Amino acid sequence: MSQYYDLGAETLWNPSQGASRAFRRHVALHEAELGVPSGIGPMVNDECRIDPAVFAVFVDALLARHRRTRHAVLLALSEGFTATVLALALRAGVDIRWDQPPTGPNGELRDLQLPYPFGMPRTPGAVEGPGWADGLRERAREPDRHMAR
């Protein structure tokens, strides 16, 4: 059995129930962490509707947080989910704002990981500069290759 993630009459993704359940739990987690709704509606009769305008705001917020965090564990935990959301966003025609600034609204970096032992270099997180999103773009292509339409 599988479930359908639809935008209008188009199915963007048709994962197995297990993959869908895990994805939806990640959606709820990230909605709470970001403080914004995802635009991914409830699953009803194995179908879920995506609101493109709300989803675009969620994608922007998720990508901005991913870029500004430098905490290696948070990056590792969220990268696969972020790549899956980006693959859905690409399929949905969302204008992905890859050029988001790497800081929060007040210019601060967030989720910095303290080095251990103290004095050692900080664990690399989000990459600065024009090529920072290249790896994430490639990761977003991976789920897209496995998403049945």
Side-chain angles (χ1 to χ4, degrees), residues 22-93:
F23 177 74
R24 295 186 58 72
R25 287 183 177 137
H26 281 271
V27 167
L29 169 76
H30 288 275
E31 285 175 326
E33 288 294 315
L34 296 169
V36 297
S38 65
I40 298 172
M43 189 63 65
V44 178
N45 296 324
D46 292 327
E47 293 182 0
C48 165
R49 299 273 174 215
I50 297 175
D51 180 321
V54 178
F55 186 55
V57 172
F58 180 76
V59 170
D60 281 347
L62 183 66
L63 189 56
R65 188 190 64 185
H66 186 80
R67 179 160 187 207
R68 74 176 171 255
T69 191
R70 293 183 184 265
H71 194 287
V73 173
L74 288 176
L75 287 169
L77 288 170
S78 67
E79 190 169 89
F81 173 76
T82 302
T84 302
V85 167
L86 290 170
L88 275 174
L90 290 169
R91 285 185 166 204

Side-chain angles (χ1 to χ4, degrees), residues 10 19 27 38 47 53 72 86 94 112 114 129 133 144:
E10 182 182 3
V27 167
S38 65
E47 293 182 0
L86 290 170
V94 171
L112 297 176
L114 292 175
D144 187 53

